Amino acid sequence: MCILRNQTILTRILNFLLLVLVLGACDKKDADVLKEQGIDMQPFLPGQVWKYETREGEEDSRIIICLVEEDPKLGQIVHIHVANVRMKNKSAPNGFTSTIWHMPYDADALRDCLVELEQSNTETPPYQDGYRLWREAFDKSEGGIWTIPVSESISTMETMMSN
């Protein structure tokens, strides 16, 4: 009886270790696939320019990392600038907005829609005014961060601006 119990415990331990190895291999494989696409799990840094999964007709749009910060509850927040979009905006002089100066993003959600790191050490665009407004709201629990793909968040903003 004691031998059977020890074998059961040993079997459970071996199964657990096998599961850990398999999950580790999946993570490694996923990291390799991302690396082949130019996304090598490197940290986000201000000045990086990224290609991302854009909306149709905005293939030249790029994301520029402006600021990266850690939040105790939300984790890493990446503040981005999005250039070369074409959002309908009834308040804009020509009816369209081509730049989103500041968007606070969940790092994992952002990483999920990136395609390729195109450049590093680019000068960060002026995002500070948008950041300051967001920070004031965030500190009062009145502002949040984006957790959906960038293309979807742009569409959401466009809907809000055209109403």
Side-chain angles (χ1 to χ4, degrees):
M1 177 100 159
C2 187
I3 293 174
L4 182 59
R5 174 181 269 169
N6 287 342
Q7 286 178 334
T8 304
I9 291 171
L10 183 60
T11 301
R12 286 183 182 168
I13 291 171
L14 290 174
N15 286 339
F16 174 75
L17 290 174
L18 181 61
L19 179 64
V20 168
L21 289 172
V22 168
L23 290 176
C26 289
D27 289 344
K28 173 80 169 107
K29 182 181 177 206
D30 292 344
D32 289 344
V33 169
L34 289 173
K35 191 169 187 173
E36 288 171 12
Q37 297 172 349
I39 305 169
D40 62 1
M41 305 307 283
Q42 62 188 313
F44 286 118
L45 297 170
Q48 290 175 335
V49 178
W50 287 90
K51 288 183 180 180
Y52 68 101
E53 295 168 356
T54 63
R55 302 186 308 169
E56 188 174 328
E58 295 179 335
E59 291 79 10
D60 291 335
S61 180
R62 297 294 182 267
I63 290 171
I64 302 172
I65 308 298
C66 296
L67 177 69
V68 181
E69 60 185 343
E70 293 292 329
D71 180 79
K73 293 180 184 172
L74 299 178
Q76 191 174 66
I77 301 172
V78 183
H79 299 271
I80 65 173
H81 169 96
V82 186
N84 299 324
V85 293
R86 186 163 169 81
M87 290 190 316
K88 293 177 193 164
N89 179 355
K90 67 180 186 178
S91 301
N94 64 356
F96 290 93
T97 296
S98 62
T99 303
I100 303 171
W101 293 99
H102 172 257
M103 292 180 80
Y105 243 92
D106 171 78
D108 292 331
L110 179 61
R111 196 172 299 283
D112 286 345
C113 65
L114 297 177
V115 174
E116 177 184 0
L117 177 62
E118 193 172 69
Q119 198 174 4
S120 295
N121 299 321
T122 299
E123 186 176 330
T124 45
Y127 68 94
Q128 293 85 353
D129 287 343
Y131 174 81
R132 183 181 45 74
L133 291 171
W134 170 82
R135 178 46 91 190
E136 289 171 4
F138 185 77
D139 288 345
K140 293 188 247 180
S141 298
E142 297 172 357
I145 62 175
W146 292 98
T147 59
I148 59 177
V150 173
S151 60
E152 288 180 35
S153 62
I154 293 170
S155 293
T156 300
M157 291 174 71
E158 182 176 54
T159 299
M160 291 168 41
M161 287 192 288
S162 20
N163 291 334

